[in-house]
Amino acid sequence: MTGYELLAGFAANTVAAVTLASGARVVFKAAAAREVEVELWALRSMAERGVPVPEVVAGAPDAEIPYLVTRLLAGEPGVATRKAASDVGRLLRAVHSLPVRGAAFFKEAPGPPPCAGAGTWADQVAGLADRLRPVADAGILPPALHARCRELLLDGARWDQPCVYVHGDLHPRHVLSAGSRIQGIIDWADCGAAGPWLDLARMDFPEPGLRRAMLGAYFPAGIPADAPLHLANHRLLYLLLALMWEHECGGDWLHERVPGIEAALAATRTR
């Protein structure tokens, strides 16, 4: 190793760009054993299906400090053109075509992916209501906000949809691009079996034209009329998931997420 640069990550992992003596640039991630196991599987299974992902150099879920090493992809985080946004939509269709069983994030499910146990996406979302309670008890969510979020999680009709294989954290910064060309999709540790709208909502472009381009490519027969409702519901769901996961692993900027949750909840009421 001749160089080391810490990269932005999550409270439960450490990520760095590393320069090797050969001059090669790689990304090193240290995380929980199950997350390393799941991400290794995801990268290999996506590469086999032609989805652009980082090449795996090494990985050891059973090491004293579990780790994953991948080639550093060229490109910048984000999607800036409608062509690139359309390509994201087409890639998501390919990702979501992978067969899955059950409903769960693989890092939280027993057994090897892509089996995610029993139950439906509505069952999985309803189960999150109990995991939200410790966040409220810690004073992070005001009582009225917690009650409304819990009510929404338990409203099974909002989540009545078949599960597909999802990336689970498909924020624009996890898509690397060079101009209009997608170079790769990174950070697959949160993948699992969930409703397809979770990925579509998480890819929350600030520019409406980019969002329409992505949805148009994902739905070549026409964007469903109820798309705004599903997007609003799943945008709120992802923010609650991020809050719960960060609280469970000891994150320290939880209160900063609350205004976004309030705004997302308001959007679900207007659809």
Side-chain angles (χ1 to χ4, degrees):
M1 215 172 54
T2 61
Y4 180 95
E5 176 190 353
L6 198 63
L7 301 176
F10 187 60
N13 59 44
T14 298
V15 186
V18 175
T19 303
L20 304 180
S22 64
R25 297 268 286 163
V26 299
V27 174
F28 171 87
K29 176 186 281 189
R34 179 61 173 174
E35 292 194 20
V36 171
E37 177 187 3
V38 167
E39 189 158 10
L40 273 170
W41 173 84
L43 291 173
R44 288 166 175 160
S45 63
M46 287 299 102
E48 289 172 359
R49 288 163 176 79
V51 177
V53 294
E55 177 190 351
V56 174
V57 176
D62 55 352
E64 183 178 356
I65 298 177
Y67 69 88
L68 171 67
V69 181
T70 59
R71 297 286 181 193
L72 182 67
L73 291 176
E76 296 296 325
V79 177
T81 70
R82 295 191 183 192
K83 179 185 180 304
S86 295
D87 287 344
V88 169
R90 283 187 282 272
L91 285 170
L92 266 183
R93 283 179 61 84
V95 171
H96 290 178
S97 68
L98 179 67
V100 293
R101 297 187 300 278
F105 297 100
F106 295 142
K107 67 182 182 181
E108 298 179 344
C115 182
T120 65
W121 180 228
D123 295 334
Q124 175 75 3
V125 174
L128 297 174
D130 291 336
R131 292 173 64 180
L132 195 60
R133 167 59 67 182
V135 183
D137 290 344
I140 296 162
L141 284 179
L145 180 59
H146 170 242
R148 180 68 184 110
C149 289
R150 177 180 172 81
E151 177 187 343
L152 195 123
L153 293 173
L154 294 174
D155 182 1
R158 290 178 183 265
W159 320 106
D160 183 16
Q161 55 200 258
C163 282
V164 300
Y165 177 94
V166 297
H167 177 282
D169 190 15
L170 197 61
H171 189 277
R173 68 172 174 265
H174 290 153
V175 178
L176 301 182
S177 58
S180 294
R181 181 180 177 82
I182 302 299
Q183 300 291 94
I185 299 175
I186 64 172
D187 209 349
W188 291 79
D190 293 329
C191 65
W197 292 99
L198 186 68
D199 277 347
L200 293 166
R202 179 61 172 149
M203 186 56 72
D204 192 12
F205 296 114
E207 203 270 286
L210 296 180
R211 187 181 308 115
R212 284 194 298 271
M214 177 190 70
L215 292 175
Y218 187 88
F219 296 106
I223 300 172
D226 58 359
L229 175 62
H230 288 302
L231 290 171
N233 288 338
H234 284 79
R235 200 170 289 130
L236 173 64
L237 175 62
Y238 182 79
L239 291 171
L240 292 174
L241 280 167
L243 183 70
M244 285 183 273
W245 284 338
E246 192 166 340
H247 181 262
E248 290 169 359
C249 69
D252 58 1
W253 55 297
L254 302 168
H255 291 279
E256 296 178 19
R257 294 191 180 272
V258 174
I261 290 171
E262 292 173 331
L265 180 59
T268 68
R269 293 170 175 166
T270 61
R271 302 298 180 183

